[in-house]
Amino acid sequence: MIKFSEFNKNVAKVMSGTFFAQALPFALAAVLARIYSVEDYGDYYSFAAIVSILGPISSGKYELAILNPKKDEEAIALCQGSILISFLTNLAVSLVLFFFSSPIAAFINMETMANILWLAPIAAFFLSASLSLSFLLNRGKAFGKLTKGKVLLSSVTNFSRLGMGLAQLGTLGLIISLILGYLSQAAFFLKNLKQLSKTHIISNKEKRKALFKSYSNFPKAMIPATLLNKSSNDLPLILMKSLFTGKIAGWYGQMSGLLKKPLAILGKAFEEVYRQKASEQIHEMGHCRPIFYSTLKKLILIGILPFTILFFTAPWAFKIFLSEKWLESGIYAQYFAIPLFLQFISSPLSSTFYLMSKNKTLSVLEFVQLFLILLAFGYTYSVQLEAQFLILSLSIAYSLAYLCKIIVLHILLKRA
């Protein structure tokens, strides 16, 4: 049986670095919010949304299979293959954007970013490589290394943002900082993967081909699910920039950057440990009910107070901390207090879907979430309602989607 004290210890180890990694953006946020304009952040967050969607799917999602093989050499081969696939995919996308950036930028209403859109696949590759390498570290229970990687990513990204901002590079400076952050994290993970040199690596092409064929269900099932998930989380920023204004994207992106994404990273700290323990319980018992309900309870108890405070204080806090021009971000944060709480609970537990080979179920739920989001955008845009109505509609859409995931997981585990 799993010792839950070990689980708590590993979560604390990962979360300690996660808290530090997120303390830095908060410490610098007040300065950066005054250096960069709302429009700078609007363009940057739209760019970052493209990276966030492209990066995780460019690997074919083979990194998700790294935890499954019994032999380390097979896991390493999957990691190498996922990075190679990501490199080739992003190289092709980068060439397309380099030669056809103007018409593509015009189509998505991002003409001001036409000359720098080709940088998105570069950032996406480093993000994808970091994800693949992190799964290999997760397999080896190197939670301390994963934590240090988060701290490094945060430090490089935010301090370079400060330097780029003082140099008055605007949106370009924010984008370069993002790329430097992902590059530093990927290099750090690679340096700390000692098993790459100590373990025999599969060199036979036929064996490697057979290995990837045996896990072909991952790209088939998880690319659609990941695309739907990432689109649900990041497409709103692109649509806000394309259909409304850069300021709305900037306000929403600032709210997301200070709250939504850091909370997702905090949830990731739980997920990295939960995923490894859940995988063990599924192999031993055929289900992971003990660790699922234990983690669910922990997440609810940890999250209930902070999100209640957020609901009542967000507008005032954003105005005082970031300045008057970011008051709208605080109002958006107030609307999102409930969906952020539900996301904090559901995201770490969602890895249960693919651990139990319920990838299709997850895909359906992600489709429902994306449909609700597009419905919110479509209605607001067609009726020409104000932006705050859009944010409220998105809040309801996300709340329903996250709640559905928790309920479906409960039903699946009850039947297991």
Side-chain angles (χ1 to χ4, degrees), residues 7 27 38 53 63 76 84 100 113 116 170-171 173 183 228 243 245 293 305 318 347 367 400:
F7 176 89
V38 177
I53 294 172
E63 74 275 6
I76 293 172
L84 177 60
F100 302 100
M113 301 176 64
I116 54 178
T171 301
L183 172 60
L228 288 169
L243 301 178
T245 68
Y293 290 113
L305 180 59
F318 272 72
S347 292
F367 177 79
L400 291 173

Side-chain angles (χ1 to χ4, degrees), residues 45-219:
Y45 282 122
S46 299
F47 176 92
I50 296 172
V51 174
S52 183
I53 294 172
L54 178 60
I57 65 171
S58 62
S59 63
K61 300 311 297 176
Y62 278 106
E63 74 275 6
L64 294 178
I66 290 173
L67 293 175
N68 291 32
K70 293 182 179 180
K71 298 180 180 179
D72 285 342
E73 57 263 33
E74 292 182 349
I76 293 172
L78 287 168
C79 181
Q80 291 175 324
S82 65
I83 293 175
L84 177 60
I85 293 169
S86 175
F87 175 78
L88 296 174
T89 301
N90 285 296
L91 177 62
V93 175
S94 188
L95 290 173
V96 171
L97 289 175
F98 183 79
F99 289 108
F100 302 100
S101 59
S102 294
I104 292 173
F107 178 74
I108 59 178
N109 195 25
M110 293 185 182
E111 289 90 342
T112 57
M113 301 176 64
N115 295 329
I116 54 178
L117 271 180
W118 63 274
L119 292 172
I122 296 177
F125 168 68
F126 292 131
L127 167 60
S128 177
S130 292
L131 286 172
S132 297
L133 294 169
S134 71
F135 271 85
L136 207 54
L137 286 168
N138 183 278
R139 178 185 174 91
K141 301 182 181 180
F143 300 113
K145 302 298 182 184
L146 290 169
T147 299
K148 290 179 181 178
K150 290 185 178 71
V151 174
L152 180 64
L153 171 63
S154 179
S155 300
V156 172
T157 301
N158 286 282
F159 281 117
S160 59
R161 277 182 184 177
L162 182 60
M164 300 287 179
L166 294 175
Q168 298 184 339
L169 292 180
T171 301
L172 179 60
L174 290 169
I175 289 172
I176 293 174
S177 299
L178 181 72
I179 295 173
L180 290 175
Y182 286 140
L183 172 60
S184 300
Q185 186 183 52
F188 175 79
F189 285 161
L190 183 62
K191 181 182 177 181
N192 285 278
L193 278 165
K194 297 179 181 179
Q195 62 262 51
L196 286 176
S197 59
K198 291 185 176 181
T199 308
H200 177 66
I201 298 174
I202 299 174
S203 57
N204 186 287
K205 291 184 178 179
E206 292 301 319
K207 286 185 178 180
R208 293 174 72 93
K209 185 178 179 180
L211 175 65
F212 275 81
K213 187 176 180 179
S214 67
Y215 290 103
S216 61
N217 62 307
F218 280 85

Side-chain angles (χ1 to χ4, degrees), residues 2-19:
I2 298 296
K3 293 182 179 179
F4 291 105
S5 59
E6 179 188 353
F7 176 89
N8 293 332
K9 181 180 178 181
N10 288 332
V11 169
K13 185 185 295 184
V14 177
M15 285 179 65
S16 61
T18 301
F19 278 124

Side-chain angles (χ1 to χ4, degrees), residues 381-398:
Y381 184 72
S382 62
V383 185
Q384 297 184 337
L385 296 171
E386 294 183 358
Q388 285 194 16
F389 180 84
L390 171 64
I391 303 302
L392 179 60
S393 300
L394 288 174
S395 171
I396 295 171
Y398 279 118

